[in-house]
Amino acid sequence: MKKILSRIFLLLLFSFVFFAAQSQQRFPKPEFESGYEQPTPTTPEPRSAGMEWADVFVLLAVLSMASWLAIKKRSRKGMIWLSLFTLIYFGFYREGCICSIGSIQNVALAFFDSGYKLSLTVLAFFLLPLIFALFFGRTFCAGACPLGAIQDLIVINPVSIPSWVRKTLDFFPYVYLGFAILFAATGTDFIICRYDPFVGIFRMNAPYIMILLGVAFLFLGMFFARPYCRVFCPYGVLLNWMSKFSKWHMTISPAECIKCKLCEPSCPFDAIEIPVNEKERTESSVRKNLKRFSFYLVLIPVWILAGGFALSKAHVFLSRANPTVYLAEILITHPELKTDTENLDIQTFLESGKSMQELVEEATLIRNKFRRGGWYLGGFLGLVLGIMIMNQFTMRKQEIYEPHKGNCFSCARCIDYCPVEKKK
Amino acid sequence: MAENKKLDRRDFIQKGARITLGASLAGIGIAAATKASAEKYVWQIDPFKCTQCGRCATDCVKNPSAVKCVHAYDLCGYCDLCGGYFKPGANKLETGAENQLCPTAAIERRFIEEPYFEFIIDEELCIGCGKCVKGCGAFGNGSLHLQIRHDLCDNCNECAIARVCPSDAISRIPASQAYIIKGNFTETQES
Ligand code: SF4
Ligand code: SF4
Ligand code: SF4
Ligand code: SF4
């Protein structure tokens, strides 16, 4: 039906411009005598919109299943099968696209570019996992994320990472998230998609260097479990926030934790919180910590200002990632390149008839966006850093073994280690 | 009692944060939904902007590229000396590979009647380099042009060619009308 409609549309279009254009052809269309019939160009249809909605439906089903497996059924085995399905469906069949991680950029661009048309299905991919995380924890990571699945299934010999290293690495996803939004919002690039290490493996086709990166990640992932999730994933930041306050997060023990320590080594991601020894908490240590805590609390505005200032200063450098800015800049600093016939971008620009002034105006506009964005991004990163440092001095109260609600992927591995019987 | 109070407070904070997060999600969702469209969008080349730079052949995530040459027969002059088929200065108007512009010999030249020839693109062979398009545009009617073929295209979240296209020729268009085939006209659609 759509095919016919588009044909009709094209036909109308053809007849509309028929007379105007006829005279401009160099060689008139011949009048054939042999009864030759002119073929029409074929137009193979894209994957139908209905199929995109089917994907949303599959995501919803997988999310529900993962949440049920983690919280009600408490089955690691089931979760493995579900990950396998996700890997095959969202990974290899759908070739890792569209994914919730990348959808951050579409949503960001929609907010900053009024001309951008955001697909409702993409919005659904962005929202559904976050909504689920708010209720059930990061069950998306456990069973519905193809990137998570491919990393999770190859965890062979995970090593425990010292806590200070982990806490330092925790900062990077924020940086990635911030830059992804900055680049998307300025219409520069979709870096999450471009540097997705696994999409090349899902497609079995990518630039050599990206395949290499993917394989390197997988290899590293055998020992440092889920490296992409823990050090890079920008969507993980949002999921972490949601999950931290989730209503029904999975628990290690089906009933009361008896502090047997059996589950302690079970988590490959070091996401289990270990009880704090209350005896170590002396009057003086509490006071000392409180002092430091307040000191760093007061320091937070300084971090924000410093971050914002630094990144807004860097806007000239950052904006070079944008092709328009880059072109304008190189034409100004190296006018001799105009004669370089090898440089496609410059030659195309020179032939396009666009004036230098127009280009510079366009570039300035984008660069200003980067300056403003630099303030926001730097401020945000300063805030995150400030809070992270301040949190070093909170007195954590932890009485039982339980998953860290923010960092736990709800993969359900630890459940099998708990000897406590389920209450009937 | 003190223990209870502490628990209550913790619950309260959790609940408050949950509601705040939920509300902001809803806010983002609603605000984004007002900008969203139920229509599916796909990437396509505007043949009137394309300058045949050659990047379509090299930068698509697919190998060979999802971009292929399309022949708008309506616009074709069926020339014997096809500027898209023969190299400029080809010494013989023969189908020998040394005379052909196409690096993969993807164009079939078929005799119809004196002096007309039909040219057919073999999409299996075409790599979307646009050499023929350039030739046809320079010496002929411009009936050959590049299009993203949607049976091959993955519809990447961001088209890898769009990012590097020097002419800004690639953009998203509604999937219900997924091609910009040159018709019997040589100006842009709007004009
Ligand atoms: S952290 Fe990111 S990549 Fe890892 S499973 Fe979660 S969403 Fe996927
Ligand atoms: S990259 Fe742009 S200008 Fe170059 S061939 Fe493709 S559409 Fe044409
Ligand atoms: S010259 Fe290039 S674009 Fe034209 S048919 Fe051959 S491979 Fe395709
Ligand atoms: S959207 Fe992806 S597959 Fe399609 S033409 Fe662009 S790069 Fe190639």
Side-chain angles (χ1 to χ4, degrees):
Chain A
M1 186 63 204
K2 266 188 188 146
K3 211 174 201 155
I4 300 172
L5 269 179
S6 62
R7 288 268 164 77
I8 293 177
F9 178 81
L10 280 174
L11 255 166
L12 278 176
L13 216 62
F14 290 175
S15 47
F16 178 65
V17 281
F18 184 82
F19 295 101
Q22 191 69 331
S23 55
Q24 291 165 11
Q25 266 176 235
R26 285 203 186 101
F27 306 101
K29 197 160 109 189
E31 311 262 322
F32 294 110
E33 279 150 18
S34 57
Y36 163 77
E37 268 197 51
Q38 174 190 303
T40 26
T42 56
T43 53
E45 291 288 310
R47 197 168 179 267
S48 75
M51 290 298 281
E52 312 286 289
W53 283 107
D55 286 346
V56 174
F57 183 77
V58 173
L59 176 71
L60 193 65
V62 172
L63 276 172
S64 314
M65 184 81 186
S67 305
W68 178 74
L69 282 170
I71 294 164
K72 267 262 132 72
K73 187 87 186 1
R74 300 169 53 76
S75 157
R76 172 65 194 157
K77 220 177 181 175
M79 201 63 96
I80 294 177
W81 285 111
L82 190 65
S83 310
L84 215 56
F85 169 78
T86 294
L87 183 62
I88 292 169
Y89 186 81
F90 287 114
F92 289 104
Y93 168 61
R94 291 298 297 123
E95 302 190 323
C97 208
I98 171 72
C99 81
S100 301
I101 311 172
S103 70
I104 297 173
Q105 305 161 119
N106 303 58
V107 174
L109 185 54
F111 275 106
F112 288 94
D113 177 356
S114 52
Y116 184 77
K117 298 274 184 284
L118 178 71
S119 295
L120 273 180
T121 49
V122 174
L123 183 60
F125 264 81
F126 176 73
L127 286 177
L128 281 176
L130 293 175
I131 295 169
F132 267 78
L134 197 52
F135 287 99
F136 309 109
R138 297 169 71 167
T139 49
F140 173 75
C141 299
C145 175
L147 279 73
I150 195 171
Q151 295 175 88
D152 201 276
L153 293 172
I154 52 140
V155 173
I156 293 174
N157 189 10
V159 289
S160 180
I161 311 291
S163 123
W164 67 269
V165 179
R166 264 188 288 132
K167 287 197 170 133
T168 317
L169 292 179
D170 270 353
F171 185 56
F172 285 96
Y174 286 92
V175 178
Y176 199 6
L177 174 69
F179 276 91
I181 293 178
L182 179 71
F183 283 130
T186 53
T188 299
D189 203 346
F190 275 19
I191 53 173
I192 300 177
C193 299
R194 192 163 166 196
Y195 301 111
D196 179 340
F198 303 114
V199 76
I201 293 170
F202 293 151
R203 291 184 168 151
M204 311 229 196
N205 194 347
Y208 175 67
I209 186 84
M210 287 314 287
I211 296 271
L212 211 65
L213 188 71
V215 173
F217 259 98
L218 287 183
F219 186 76
L220 178 68
M222 295 199 277
F223 313 103
F224 178 68
R226 289 200 187 221
Y228 184 80
C229 300
R230 286 157 79 193
V231 188
F232 296 98
C233 183
Y235 197 60
V237 171
L238 306 181
L239 287 167
N240 188 314
W241 292 347
M242 299 296 153
S243 180
K244 221 170 243 160
F245 304 102
S246 54
K247 192 155 178 156
W248 302 285
H249 194 281
M250 63 147 271
T251 54
I252 302 173
S253 169
E256 199 121 337
C257 171
I258 52 170
K259 298 185 216 175
C260 64
K261 292 185 176 171
L262 282 176
C263 63
E264 205 181 305
S266 69
C267 181
F269 319 111
D270 301 307
I272 295 180
E273 298 264 49
I274 294 159
V276 195
N277 191 349
E278 291 290 326
K279 285 182 196 115
E280 275 172 21
R281 187 176 294 199
T282 60
E283 191 82 2
S284 70
S285 79
V286 169
R287 197 163 313 130
K288 208 159 104 199
N289 254 336
L290 197 66
K291 231 181 186 166
R292 288 202 194 142
F293 181 86
S294 340
F295 173 70
Y296 284 108
L297 178 68
V298 177
L299 217 59
I300 284 181
V302 181
W303 284 114
I304 296 178
L305 279 177
F309 180 73
L311 277 193
S312 70
K313 276 285 161 221
H315 79 279
V316 173
F317 172 73
L318 289 176
S319 65
R320 273 181 206 143
N322 186 291
T324 311
V325 177
Y326 184 74
L327 183 67
E329 197 178 271
I330 206 160
L331 278 174
I332 291 172
T333 52
H334 297 281
E336 74 276 6
L337 279 178
K338 282 185 187 167
T339 52
D340 180 3
T341 46
E342 297 285 283
N343 193 319
L344 262 176
D345 298 280
I346 292 183
Q347 290 312 317
T348 311
F349 164 71
L350 292 177
E351 280 163 26
S352 71
K354 198 161 151 189
S355 74
M356 192 65 203
Q357 198 192 344
E358 274 174 280
L359 179 73
V360 171
E361 267 167 23
E362 224 174 89
T364 315
L365 227 63
I366 298 172
R367 188 167 270 181
N368 286 341
K369 279 189 195 163
F370 268 92
R371 184 191 289 131
R372 221 169 328 125
W375 270 111
Y376 287 128
L377 175 57
F380 168 71
L381 292 180
L383 175 70
V384 171
L385 196 65
I387 292 179
M388 275 180 168
I389 293 175
M390 179 184 82
N391 273 345
Q392 293 304 303
F393 304 102
T394 43
M395 280 294 194
R396 204 161 52 89
K397 221 177 156 85
Q398 186 66 40
E399 279 153 10
I400 56 167
Y401 286 85
E402 58 184 352
H404 181 285
K405 277 169 87 181
N407 292 341
C408 166
F409 298 117
S410 295
C411 73
R413 279 187 179 83
C414 50
I415 286 172
D416 292 342
Y417 287 73
C418 184
V420 177
E421 292 284 333
K422 199 169 180 172
K423 264 193 268 178
K424 287 280 144 63
Chain B
M1 192 61 211
E3 196 67 356
N4 252 339
K5 225 179 204 161
K6 227 169 221 165
L7 259 181
D8 277 353
R9 205 179 68 197
R10 209 176 141 192
D11 270 357
F12 181 75
I13 293 174
Q14 285 260 332
K15 205 166 182 179
R18 190 154 58 234
I19 290 170
T20 316
L21 284 172
S24 29
L25 262 191
I28 291 177
I30 291 167
T34 59
K35 294 160 198 269
S37 133
E39 173 86 80
K40 180 188 161 140
Y41 281 80
V42 291
W43 296 96
Q44 193 50 276
I45 300 172
D46 182 343
F48 300 101
K49 283 190 183 166
C50 167
T51 50
Q52 299 89 44
C53 68
R55 287 188 181 156
C56 271
T58 51
D59 282 75
C60 178
V61 299
K62 294 286 221 179
N63 189 16
S65 171
V67 174
K68 303 288 172 207
C69 177
V70 168
H71 191 176
Y73 292 94
D74 242 350
L75 204 59
C76 182
Y78 291 82
C79 323
D80 182 2
L81 177 61
C82 170
Y85 186 81
F86 291 111
K87 275 190 186 141
N91 36 17
K92 277 197 202 127
L93 294 193
E94 271 177 12
T95 50
E98 72 280 6
N99 298 328
Q100 289 185 28
L101 201 51
C102 178
T104 58
I107 309 180
E108 193 195 332
R109 173 178 147 100
R110 196 185 283 162
F111 176 71
I112 303 176
E113 60 183 58
E114 210 46 64
Y116 301 130
F117 287 83
E118 183 186 58
F119 295 90
I120 301 156
I121 315 285
D122 183 350
E123 288 196 3
E124 296 275 314
L125 293 178
C126 174
I127 53 168
C129 70
K131 290 204 168 94
C132 60
V133 178
K134 203 159 205 152
C136 178
F139 303 111
N141 286 350
S143 56
L144 296 176
H145 59 94
L146 294 177
Q147 286 285 282
I148 293 174
R149 306 300 280 172
H150 291 300
D151 49 341
L152 305 170
C153 171
D154 280 346
N155 199 20
C156 309
N157 202 13
E158 189 198 34
C159 174
I161 319 172
R163 192 174 59 228
V164 296
C165 173
S167 316
D168 253 339
I170 305 183
S171 56
R172 289 159 83 239
I173 61 172
S176 53
Q177 202 201 102
Y179 291 86
I180 309 178
I181 304 275
K182 273 188 173 182
N184 195 342
F185 52 94
T186 40
E187 282 305 308
T188 57
Q189 272 183 320
E190 290 84 357
S191 56

